[in-house]
Amino acid sequence: MAERWRPRDSRLSRFFRDVSWKKWSVSSFLVENDASSDKIGELYQRFRDDMTLLSEVSADAPAEVKDFIEGLSMDTSKSSFMAEFHATNTQITTRDAVSSAQVATCNLYAAGANLVAEASVAPRKPKKISAAAKGKGKATTLDGPTEDRAGEDGSDFDLEEFEKKVEGLDKDRFWKLQSGRCVENIIVEAARKMQHLHILHSLIVYTEDKETKNLFTEEEWKEICDTNPVCLTNLPEDILAYLGSFKHGSVQGLHDATNASYPFQGEYVHHLHWDFRWVRTAVETWLGLYCEVPSPLTKTDQNESFWRNDVFGVINSLMRGSPNMPVVHGEITLAESAQRRNQHRGLFDSASRNEVGFKTDGLFQVSDIPPANIGVVEAGKTFGNNTDKKSKDDSVKLMNELHDMLRVRLKNLQAVDRSRDLVLVGHLISGPVLQTMYASSPGGYVVRIGQHHGTFKVASTIEGFPNNIRILTHLLRTKQLLVKAKRIMEELPSDLDSEDTASTSRPTSPLESRKRRVSLPPLQEHPSKRR
């Protein structure tokens, strides 16, 4: 069989592999910029730059590929490009603009992807597939595949590994709903039919994922979400009143508020009064950013470090009033994921280096030897509302980190009867937007991850500062959950706890079920995703 053309420059293959990324990049761009004519013109320039790049890297392509690329460059004028947006409605809405943008650009990319797939990819030599490597699929985030992490073959997962994990579960410990169905059985059945790696392969139920929700009835889903719920308690009245004193939309109003006296009397007691000092310090930090000329908060192209350190750096000092609860920040390796990735290495297995864990941007810890992680911070440059590829990847990475941490915390918990009460916290920073996820194991082998509220966005101008107080209030409430997690971890076994957890009989009551240690199966992850 004659060998077909293969692009020498990998950028050509990578360009067409990223069709979905291009699609969501266009959509996010238009939503962010309100689809004005000037911005559409800027988008057109991006398109032209893409076409120039393709022409350069496809010099040795077959005629049909070069003709396709040259046709795009020559036939798509700025006027015809913009006409796609306004063809049906002069008063175009943002949603219409997104749809039209996909017609005007993304369909062209998709056509190119199909063409290159047919004409440009040389066949690879067949590889011998071992029994352990059979039954693999591509990796996915929440509801779509990712294909650029493990080279040109894509990222796949081992179905046999998944089946072995399921086989090792004790069915007597499955989470049985009032309907009589077990959550694990439903998840496993759905995961077996999937062609891509999904969080369900790790028995993770993300309460915002429609694909997962559709597996259950309304009554079952309500039970899953409401069993052993995550409770964010209200803050004390004095700290709420102090937060309210900063709800000003002017520099002078915030200046006066930060110079006012603290609301407590007498001697300063650090563990009692730190939250007041933290609130004032955070307000002063943000006030400085608004007063800077020009204000960096008005720029949409700030880098990830700015949002993590200059804006949400207030998270770093959140726990300073809580003894033995440091927040470490920087690029940190998550010990729990490293431990999982190296669990099968033998004592004398020195042929290769140890696998490293996930790289995180911050960790909430309980001081111990070694420190115990109970919360995580992940930072990204932009917010895509879980629609663009980067946003999805960040969300799934955060869920995986929470899963790894929860699994180890539950394994080492002394007060076994508190296993279902333990909640870990994950903050996802995407540009000026903050999302928070909470991880717990409400029943069986299931890890439930939910948000329980919307997103929080730092105001771009001083006039919107009162909305920023919602962020500080939210962070203080999540702090209470972290303190509770530390308290649960420090509790000693009660009379309820029986480390006779080897008993295999089905618990006859919720009280009895709490005697049994929760042993979560490891995260399902393909080696090519490790970084």
Side-chain angles (χ1 to χ4, degrees), residues 185-194 200-201 215:
N185 287 337
I186 298 170
I187 290 175
V188 169
E189 182 180 354
R192 282 175 175 150
K193 298 176 182 177
M194 291 179 172
L200 290 179
H201 289 99
L215 299 174

Side-chain angles (χ1 to χ4, degrees), residues 85-186:
F85 293 94
H86 299 282
T88 58
N89 192 346
T90 54
Q91 296 180 336
I92 198 161
T93 66
T94 300
R95 178 173 295 182
D96 293 330
V98 171
S99 177
S100 299
Q102 293 168 0
V103 172
T105 57
C106 301
N107 287 347
L108 298 178
Y109 295 141
N114 292 334
L115 181 62
V116 171
E118 293 173 2
S120 69
V121 180
R124 298 177 181 273
K125 294 180 179 180
K127 297 180 180 179
K128 292 183 179 179
I129 302 177
S130 65
K134 290 182 179 179
K136 294 184 177 182
K138 292 179 180 177
T140 190
T141 52
L142 293 180
D143 53 9
T146 60
E147 305 184 52
D148 62 345
R149 287 190 177 179
E152 296 181 0
D153 286 332
S155 301
D156 43 11
F157 70 96
D158 194 333
L159 182 59
E160 185 169 315
E161 177 187 344
F162 173 69
E163 294 294 352
K164 285 182 178 179
K165 178 169 65 177
V166 172
E167 187 179 346
L169 301 179
D170 182 355
K171 291 181 173 55
D172 285 335
R173 297 192 179 190
F174 281 8
W175 184 4
K176 189 174 182 179
L177 301 172
Q178 293 295 320
S179 64
R181 299 205 298 170
C182 292
V183 177
E184 289 86 345
N185 287 337
I186 298 170

Side-chain angles (χ1 to χ4, degrees), residues 300-304 307 379-383 390 394 429-432:
T300 59
D301 59 347
Q302 292 288 2
N303 60 35
E304 178 181 310
W307 297 113
K381 184 177 179 181
T382 56
F383 173 63
K390 180 64 167 62
D394 288 343
I429 299 166
S430 306

Side-chain angles (χ1 to χ4, degrees), residues 43-63:
L43 181 63
Y44 169 75
Q45 188 57 50
R46 289 190 189 181
F47 174 76
R48 295 289 301 182
D49 293 341
D50 282 337
M51 294 303 103
T52 301
L53 171 64
L54 286 180
S55 297
E56 293 173 356
V57 301
S58 60
D60 62 334

Side-chain angles (χ1 to χ4, degrees), residues 383-402:
F383 173 63
N385 198 26
N386 278 343
T387 55
D388 66 88
K389 179 179 177 296
K390 180 64 167 62
S391 178
K392 287 182 178 181
D393 284 353
D394 288 343
S395 296
V396 172
K397 183 187 176 192
L398 182 63
M399 293 183 211
N400 290 342
E401 291 165 348
L402 288 169

Side-chain angles (χ1 to χ4, degrees), residues 204 334 336 358 360 373-377 395-409 423-427 436-440 447-450 482 520 523:
I204 295 175
L334 187 64
E336 289 83 354
F358 289 115
T360 71
N373 298 316
I374 58 173
V376 63
V377 179
S395 296
V396 172
K397 183 187 176 192
L398 182 63
M399 293 183 211
N400 290 342
E401 291 165 348
L402 288 169
H403 184 287
D404 276 340
M405 291 192 299
L406 183 64
R407 178 171 173 258
V408 176
R409 298 289 80 78
V423 179
L424 305 188
V425 177
H427 292 303
T436 304
M437 297 182 183
Y438 308 95
S440 61
V447 172
R448 181 185 62 202
I449 298 180
L482 293 167
L520 300 176
L523 187 77

Side-chain angles (χ1 to χ4, degrees), residues 353-500:
R353 287 184 175 184
N354 281 344
E355 294 274 6
V356 298
F358 289 115
K359 297 290 187 180
T360 71
D361 295 300
L363 290 170
F364 295 91
Q365 296 182 334
V366 174
S367 296
D368 207 338
I369 304 175
N373 298 316
I374 58 173
V376 63
V377 179
E378 281 293 337
K381 184 177 179 181
T382 56
F383 173 63
N385 198 26
N386 278 343
T387 55
D388 66 88
K389 179 179 177 296
K390 180 64 167 62
S391 178
K392 287 182 178 181
D393 284 353
D394 288 343
S395 296
V396 172
K397 183 187 176 192
L398 182 63
M399 293 183 211
N400 290 342
E401 291 165 348
L402 288 169
H403 184 287
D404 276 340
M405 291 192 299
L406 183 64
R407 178 171 173 258
V408 176
R409 298 289 80 78
L410 292 174
K411 179 181 178 181
N412 298 329
L413 202 63
Q414 298 183 82
V416 178
D417 64 310
R418 299 301 303 277
S419 298
R420 304 301 184 186
D421 302 323
L422 185 66
V423 179
L424 305 188
V425 177
H427 292 303
L428 179 60
I429 299 166
S430 306
V433 176
L434 174 70
Q435 302 175 79
T436 304
M437 297 182 183
Y438 308 95
S440 61
S441 181
Y445 295 98
V446 175
V447 172
R448 181 185 62 202
I449 298 180
Q451 288 186 233
H452 306 289
H453 45 68
T455 57
F456 301 87
K457 185 176 182 179
V458 174
S460 59
T461 62
I462 193 74
E463 290 76 16
F465 195 89
N467 284 330
N468 292 356
I469 301 304
R470 295 178 59 245
I471 299 175
L472 300 182
T473 304
H474 169 69
L475 290 173
L476 287 172
R477 295 181 74 191
T478 61
K479 173 183 177 178
Q480 294 180 330
L481 274 182
L482 293 167
V483 172
K484 180 182 177 181
K486 175 178 179 285
R487 190 165 60 246
I488 290 174
M489 289 167 56
E490 292 174 342
E491 288 184 20
L492 296 175
S494 68
D495 293 338
L496 289 176
D497 293 328
S498 169
E499 266 309 311
D500 303 325

